[in-house]
Amino acid sequence: IILGHHQHILKGIQVDGDTATACTYFALLKDVDSDPSLDFYGRYLDDLVRGPDSRWRIARRVTEGESRR
């Protein structure tokens, strides 16, 4: 049985009025035969916009994978 666990770490957000950019690193950990290991990691580069309801939404996301086991 292979189980996956995700970890996300927000590096930073730069806000400019009603737009923002964010960088979030992620890691996918898998448990194979009771041996946890790093399977895949990378980062998301997001462009965000604030809507008329004042909630932030992702307008564009780029996913950059760094490694794959």
Side-chain angles (χ1 to χ4, degrees):
I1 294 175
I2 298 175
L3 301 175
H5 304 279
H6 294 268
Q7 177 68 45
H8 294 85
I9 301 167
L10 181 61
K11 180 182 175 201
I13 299 174
Q14 299 293 320
V15 178
D16 183 14
D18 288 331
T19 63
T21 58
C23 178
T24 305
Y25 288 90
F26 65 87
L28 173 61
L29 307 171
K30 287 205 174 174
D31 186 359
V32 180
D33 297 326
S34 299
D35 183 22
S37 63
L38 179 62
D39 186 60
F40 184 68
Y41 68 94
R43 66 183 179 168
Y44 301 123
L45 302 173
D46 295 329
D47 293 332
L48 304 130
V49 293
R50 186 181 354 229
D53 60 358
S54 297
R55 295 179 64 184
W56 289 94
R57 292 175 175 82
I58 297 172
R60 184 176 84 97
R61 169 169 277 178
V62 175
T63 304
E64 296 180 343
E66 298 289 335
S67 178
R68 180 112 184 130
R69 183 171 67 129

